[in-house]
Amino acid sequence: MKHSCVNLLSLSVFLSLLMAVNGCQQTEEQKSGEYAPERNNAELSATDLHFSNDLLDSIELTEIEAESAEIQNPDHIHVLVNDDHVLPDSYTPDDLTVPDVRFSFDEELDRRLMREEAAEALEQLFRAADAAEQELFAVSGYRSYERQEQLFTAAVNEHGEETARETSAAPGSSEHQTGLAMDVSSRSNDLLLNTDFADTDEGQWVEEHAHEHGFVIRYPEGEEDLTGITFEPWHLRYVGEDAAEELDNSGLTLEELIEKTREYQDGPG
Ligand SMILES: [Zn+2]
């Protein structure tokens, strides 16, 4: 969770409990499934992960500066952003625009913004939701490095560094800085960003249909070890329709797609 607009303390307590419970269940599921994700991506082998060669050919790998983990090509729509792949503090996408969708607030704030391609896809997603009588609200999109720094510092001051790192993204490691992410909610969830959204009609519709418009639920339940972020059913990340489709079908994460691409593009030797 990395949002100041929710009650971080109660949320983090709730999530800790949730993770304690789900952690055990997930281990059982992963043991019984044919695919068992490993925290160490180097251990993933080609046979564990299934993506089409067309997709793997189409991805431009996220390149990082080894010493700083700073991303060198942040404009690519498949860019991987996490604690090990950090956006430059100077990075601001140059095609930010306001999608024509329903927002949870009236003010003209930066958090309305998304990159052009993602904004168009979000408009499609919202139109499809409207047609299915699911009223979605956009809550939080683009967030600058400086804004993330303020939020993270506030979280550290309030809860200490350890808890802050679990519940809030450090500056540079938030996907919101890419302009490719949007948090969504519904009236049925009081427009809040919390895991209850997953149980609403709107949240279930999003889970089923987001990929049709190029979005994935970037931080799925039970994948905290891979993504570093607890379950966020409200956080939609634009990756384009092809990647979204295959991530949805496989149930794999962007971390795994990028790792697989690296193996594939590097070739067998
Ligand atoms: Zn988010």
Side-chain angles (χ1 to χ4, degrees):
M1 327 280 296
K2 40 185 173 180
H3 303 277
S4 64
C5 49
V6 291
N7 183 328
L8 277 175
L9 181 58
S10 63
L11 203 51
S12 62
V13 169
F14 171 74
L15 275 175
S16 310
L17 292 170
L18 196 69
M19 282 181 71
V21 173
N22 284 346
C24 307
Q25 291 171 347
Q26 189 62 25
T27 306
E28 287 307 311
E29 275 171 31
Q30 288 173 354
K31 275 181 189 158
S32 62
E34 67 175 327
Y35 170 63
E38 297 286 342
R39 180 68 185 98
N40 180 355
N41 285 340
E43 292 176 22
L44 293 171
S45 72
T47 51
D48 289 332
L49 305 175
H50 302 284
F51 297 104
S52 72
N53 291 353
D54 282 350
L55 178 64
L56 298 176
D57 275 326
S58 74
I59 290 176
E60 185 183 330
L61 284 166
T62 310
E63 288 170 32
I64 58 166
E65 191 80 52
E67 282 177 14
S68 60
E70 190 170 281
I71 297 167
Q72 303 298 296
N73 51 346
D75 277 326
H76 198 261
I77 62 161
H78 297 126
V79 65
L80 177 66
V81 179
N82 57 29
D83 281 342
D84 304 319
H85 300 76
V86 180
L87 291 161
D89 55 7
S90 59
Y91 177 66
T92 305
D94 60 12
D95 60 349
L96 291 171
T97 184
V98 177
D100 183 15
V101 298
R102 193 182 298 110
F103 283 91
S104 64
F105 54 92
D106 295 327
E107 300 87 345
E108 296 300 321
L109 301 171
D110 278 358
R111 62 187 165 105
R112 286 180 182 259
L113 297 168
M114 291 188 95
R115 287 186 57 193
E116 224 161 87
E117 184 177 338
E120 277 172 30
L122 192 76
E123 289 170 0
Q124 283 179 25
L125 176 76
F126 271 58
R127 276 199 293 273
D130 283 343
E133 298 183 352
Q134 303 295 327
E135 196 183 33
L136 298 177
F137 288 80
V139 178
S140 193
Y142 171 71
R143 196 181 301 149
S144 69
Y145 185 96
E146 291 73 22
R147 179 72 185 129
Q148 188 66 34
E149 199 165 36
Q150 290 168 1
L151 295 175
F152 187 71
T153 305
V156 170
N157 290 340
E158 193 169 346
H159 307 295
E161 172 128 15
E162 196 180 333
T163 307
R165 285 201 176 274
E166 287 168 9
T167 57
S168 172
S173 66
S174 169
E175 278 202 336
H176 287 277
Q177 194 188 334
T178 65
L180 297 170
M182 181 61 80
D183 298 329
V184 299
S185 190
S186 59
R187 283 195 212 281
S188 60
N189 202 42
D190 298 327
L191 303 177
L192 296 174
L193 305 177
N194 60 32
T195 51
D196 291 345
F197 180 61
D199 299 321
T200 65
D201 287 349
E202 295 85 355
Q204 290 183 2
W205 186 92
V206 165
E207 188 185 349
E208 271 176 49
H209 298 281
H211 71 274
E212 294 163 10
H213 306 280
F215 288 91
V216 291
I217 294 174
R218 174 71 177 86
Y219 307 113
E221 190 164 19
E223 302 293 353
E224 293 88 352
D225 285 351
L226 282 165
T227 64
I229 303 276
T230 52
F231 181 38
E232 292 197 350
W234 64 85
H235 177 105
L236 301 181
R237 159 68 194 273
Y238 181 73
V239 290
E241 282 182 35
D242 293 343
E245 170 86 29
E246 293 198 32
L247 286 170
D248 184 73
N249 283 342
S250 63
L252 298 172
T253 61
L254 188 59
E255 274 78 6
E256 292 162 302
L257 173 58
I258 296 302
E259 181 57 27
K260 173 70 179 181
T261 302
R262 190 161 282 128
E263 285 179 23
Y264 174 82
Q265 293 188 3
D266 287 352

